[in-house]
Amino acid sequence: MIRQEQQNRISGSGALLKNLLARRPARGADLKPAGRPDQKKQMMALLRALTYLSAYKRDVIGASIFLILVSTASLVVPQLFRYAIDTGIGQRQKAAIVVAVGVIFLVATARAVFAFLQSYLAERVSQSIGEDLRVSLYSHIHQLSYTFSNTVHSGQILTRMTGDVDQVRAFVGGGVIRLSGAMILFLACFVLLIQLNWKLALITFATLPASFFLLMRIGRKVGPLFGRIQQAVGKLSIIMQEDLAGMRVIRAFCREAFELDRFKSVNREWLRNNNLFLHHYTNNFPFALFFANVATLVIIGYGGWESIAGRLTIGELVAFYSYLSFLHYTTILISFVTTYILGAASASTRVFEILDTPLDVRESPDAFELPAISGQVEFKDVRFRYPGSRAETLKGINFTIEPGQLVALVGPTGSGKSTFINLIPRLHDVSSGAVMIDGSDVREVTLSSLRGQIGVVLQESLLFSGSMRENIAYGKPNALDEEIETAARAAQAHDFITKLPGGYDSLVEAGGANLSGGQRQRIAIARAILIEPRLLILDDSTSAVDSVTEIGIQESLDHLMREDGRTVFVIAHRISTIRDADLILLLSEGRILSQGTHETLLRESPLYYDILGSQVTDFAGDQLSGGPATQTGVTT
């Protein structure tokens, strides 16, 4: 029975290793290139993760108490075996056997209850810490600048929020308690073995250093593999995410075989590192079990000799064997958890790497609420440089826009147009100079009061899974149906929405996959119009609509602007959008090269003429013939 218990415990240790291996696929790729792990940095990150336990002191204390009770109950059972054998069987006292069996039953029942309560509280702490880490990561990511989201693959972030957080919470919430319990049980067994028979104890202890050495050797070998496995799984995550999103492109260019080879290559890398993990385990762990079995032989040989000599009873020999089984079990468990620490430390480093990413845009502690704006915008010697870049994207921008004006931004690719408009709602902060709205520096007002008065429609119109109604009302969840419909009509979206089977309740798939590009843009424009912004930013927001729809949208936007005095910034590549602007800013290499009306720039700026290309000729011909302007697109 005791031998079987020992085998079960050792098998349980093997199961623990399997669980560790099963967790490997939940890792992502590093934000930074993989290199030799900084163990000191990783241990500091793990210690920092342990501070999350302080928020759940009661559960931690409760789990610790029940763990001590479980260990105590485990240590009592061998003594009861000793009493049953020496007193009950040895002295033929049936009552002693009955008492021993009854007490063993009660102790086993109590141990089961304590083990359940300990596991429940530890898991509750573990899951709570996981929730805290995920919320902290999610909240911090939403505060990071566009620079972070543009340079870090979303697959990396997702794997850190799932796999790495799960690894950290499992160790911090449960692994620490299990490690503490194992160490307590190890020390208690060590003392009890010496008390039972110090000579036999010293002989059997001689095998412990060898077992420790082999198990620690496993840890040293597999430790560096954690980072490699994490990197490989991160690559797999990125490839899968990119391929699922770009399935149409892959099929259009017949690149299925290429993508499959790319996936296979990274998958083989992951498999190779996992096999290496198993290689080190299978080459060392059986030898650790060998030394445990040697200790068993010592007990049978020397312990049997001591028993025959009358210096050790049969009951004491059985108890000694039980405690030695506990000792070897805890040795293996401590070694495995120590190895697990390396993975948790690596995961902690990756989690805190995101949490420690500095915020480029911070709200000032004394920021004030921006009053209702009229729409005046002023750039005062604005310069901007992306983090890590030596070159300035914007160089000394100066201009003032009065409320109600329509301003068009034109320029070659890379001239700084998108960066320009991103500074207005503080998606980035200026490197020097100031962006003023109604005389207030945007850095001195609260972000909510600033962005709540600015409507933004980006070139890539992202929609969320939900109904048409929910997507239009995204910025104003309490909007009335009449307001939603009015905004949809203004964006030329009402007609196509009402033709859908569910109308405004029709579901939008994730990212708007079931809508055309033009339909997505119209929903995005309606979303911006609904919040009734005093300042509207359109980043080439009609590039995916047909010419007739664009004319309708432009008429609606022009009516809204002229009627309510909205200020509008628009990045456009079509002459039909640009020609009606009150002011056109021609950007080149981060500077305002020219500014004026469409007619003025046609006469005075060769670059402006070149950017519009054939549209100028077509437009001029249409003007002479009295026809409408040709809606030819221009690539810039």
Side-chain angles (χ1 to χ4, degrees), residues 54-213:
S54 61
Y56 306 98
K57 292 179 181 178
R58 293 180 61 182
D59 283 351
V60 172
I61 293 173
S64 301
I65 292 173
F66 287 121
L67 182 64
I68 293 173
L69 292 175
V70 169
S71 299
T72 302
S74 299
L75 295 172
V76 167
V77 172
Q79 295 296 338
L80 294 173
F81 278 139
R82 173 188 176 183
Y83 174 76
I85 293 172
D86 289 344
T87 304
I89 298 176
Q91 300 179 16
R92 301 183 181 277
Q93 294 184 16
K94 295 181 180 180
I97 295 177
V98 172
V99 170
V101 170
V103 175
I104 288 174
F105 174 78
L106 293 175
V107 170
T109 303
R111 185 186 184 282
V113 173
F114 297 150
F116 167 76
L117 294 173
Q118 180 268 321
S119 298
Y120 172 77
L121 292 176
E123 188 61 23
R124 189 163 72 174
V125 171
S126 175
Q127 295 296 339
S128 298
I129 290 175
E131 180 187 23
D132 292 344
L133 284 172
R134 282 189 290 270
V135 170
S136 297
L137 280 170
Y138 192 79
S139 175
H140 190 73
I141 289 169
H142 272 289
Q143 298 178 63
L144 293 172
S145 69
Y146 271 18
T147 305
F148 178 84
S149 59
N150 289 337
T151 55
V152 179
H153 199 284
S154 58
Q156 299 175 355
I157 300 174
L158 289 174
T159 50
R160 296 191 186 209
M161 290 190 66
T162 53
D164 285 327
V165 166
D166 188 63
Q167 180 78 358
V168 174
R169 69 94 190 159
F171 175 75
V172 173
V176 171
I177 295 176
R178 286 195 298 270
L179 179 61
S180 301
M183 295 179 69
I184 292 172
L185 190 59
F186 178 89
L187 293 174
C189 289
F190 190 90
V191 173
L192 288 171
L193 286 170
I194 292 177
Q195 287 181 344
L196 281 172
N197 190 302
W198 67 271
K199 291 182 180 180
L200 183 58
L202 291 180
I203 295 173
T204 53
F205 289 165
T207 62
L208 286 178
S211 297
F212 265 119
F213 170 78

Side-chain angles (χ1 to χ4, degrees), residues 382-446:
V382 169
R383 296 179 180 273
F384 178 79
R385 177 187 292 109
Y386 283 98
S389 174
R390 296 182 179 180
E392 288 185 330
T393 304
L394 296 179
K395 309 168 185 177
I397 302 294
N398 287 282
F399 74 91
T400 301
I401 301 300
E402 297 303 326
Q405 286 190 303
L406 170 60
V407 182
L409 302 178
V410 179
T413 299
S415 58
K417 302 185 295 296
S418 294
T419 302
F420 185 102
I421 62 172
N422 285 339
L423 294 177
I424 298 174
R426 274 196 82 191
L427 299 181
H428 297 301
D429 263 343
V430 298
S431 301
S432 64
V435 176
M436 314 291 290
I437 295 183
D438 286 0
S440 297
D441 191 325
V442 296
R443 292 169 295 185
E444 297 176 355
V445 302
T446 61

Side-chain angles (χ1 to χ4, degrees), residues 130-307:
E131 180 187 23
D132 292 344
L133 284 172
R134 282 189 290 270
V135 170
S136 297
L137 280 170
Y138 192 79
S139 175
H140 190 73
I141 289 169
H142 272 289
Q143 298 178 63
L144 293 172
S145 69
Y146 271 18
T147 305
F148 178 84
S149 59
N150 289 337
T151 55
V152 179
H153 199 284
S154 58
Q156 299 175 355
I157 300 174
L158 289 174
T159 50
R160 296 191 186 209
M161 290 190 66
T162 53
D164 285 327
V165 166
D166 188 63
Q167 180 78 358
V168 174
R169 69 94 190 159
F171 175 75
V172 173
V176 171
I177 295 176
R178 286 195 298 270
L179 179 61
S180 301
M183 295 179 69
I184 292 172
L185 190 59
F186 178 89
L187 293 174
C189 289
F190 190 90
V191 173
L192 288 171
L193 286 170
I194 292 177
Q195 287 181 344
L196 281 172
N197 190 302
W198 67 271
K199 291 182 180 180
L200 183 58
L202 291 180
I203 295 173
T204 53
F205 289 165
T207 62
L208 286 178
S211 297
F212 265 119
F213 170 78
L214 289 170
L215 293 171
M216 294 307 295
R217 183 183 178 187
I218 296 175
R220 288 195 302 270
K221 293 288 185 179
V222 303
L225 293 176
F226 284 109
R228 298 179 200 172
I229 293 172
Q230 290 169 347
Q231 183 184 15
V233 176
K235 290 178 182 177
L236 284 176
S237 176
I238 291 173
I239 291 173
M240 288 188 290
Q241 188 177 29
E242 288 178 345
D243 286 4
L244 289 173
M247 194 65 72
R248 293 182 180 180
V249 177
I250 293 171
R251 292 175 179 176
F253 287 90
C254 301
R255 299 290 284 174
E256 294 92 340
F258 170 79
E259 293 298 332
L260 180 59
D261 288 341
R262 191 161 68 111
F263 181 86
K264 284 182 177 179
S265 176
V266 179
N267 198 34
R268 280 193 297 267
E269 179 185 346
W270 178 84
L271 179 62
R272 184 168 54 252
N273 285 299
N274 271 285
N275 285 340
L276 193 57
F277 187 102
L278 289 171
H279 170 77
H280 291 307
Y281 164 67
T282 55
N283 280 1
N284 291 277
F285 185 70
F287 291 102
L289 293 181
F290 169 76
F291 286 110
N293 291 327
V294 169
T296 301
L297 294 176
V298 171
I299 292 176
I300 296 174
Y302 184 79
W305 183 268
E306 290 286 287
S307 180

Side-chain angles (χ1 to χ4, degrees), residues 471-515:
N471 270 278
I472 295 175
Y474 187 75
K476 190 178 179 180
N478 59 345
L480 301 175
D481 291 345
E482 294 78 9
E483 296 176 300
I484 294 173
E485 182 176 329
T486 300
R489 288 182 182 277
Q492 302 293 303
H494 176 75
D495 289 343
F496 89 80
I497 291 176
T498 53
K499 291 178 182 178
L500 297 173
Y504 281 86
D505 293 320
S506 299
L507 294 180
V508 178
E509 295 179 4
N514 58 333
L515 299 177

Side-chain angles (χ1 to χ4, degrees), residues 313-391:
T313 67
I314 299 298
E316 290 174 336
L317 184 61
V318 172
F320 191 97
Y321 179 75
S322 298
Y323 288 131
L324 187 65
S325 298
F326 286 138
L327 192 70
H328 282 291
Y329 164 72
T330 55
T331 301
I332 294 172
L333 182 60
I334 291 171
S335 299
F336 279 159
V337 174
T338 302
T339 302
Y340 191 33
I341 288 175
L342 299 175
S346 178
S348 299
T349 304
R350 292 157 53 79
V351 168
F352 289 117
E353 188 175 44
I354 293 182
L355 288 175
D356 291 339
T357 301
L359 301 179
D360 295 334
V361 177
R362 292 179 177 271
E363 190 170 281
S364 173
D366 55 352
F368 61 90
E369 294 285 326
L370 181 65
I373 63 174
S374 61
Q376 183 193 58
V377 179
E378 180 180 5
F379 276 46
K380 291 185 175 180
D381 194 28
V382 169
R383 296 179 180 273
F384 178 79
R385 177 187 292 109
Y386 283 98
S389 174
R390 296 182 179 180

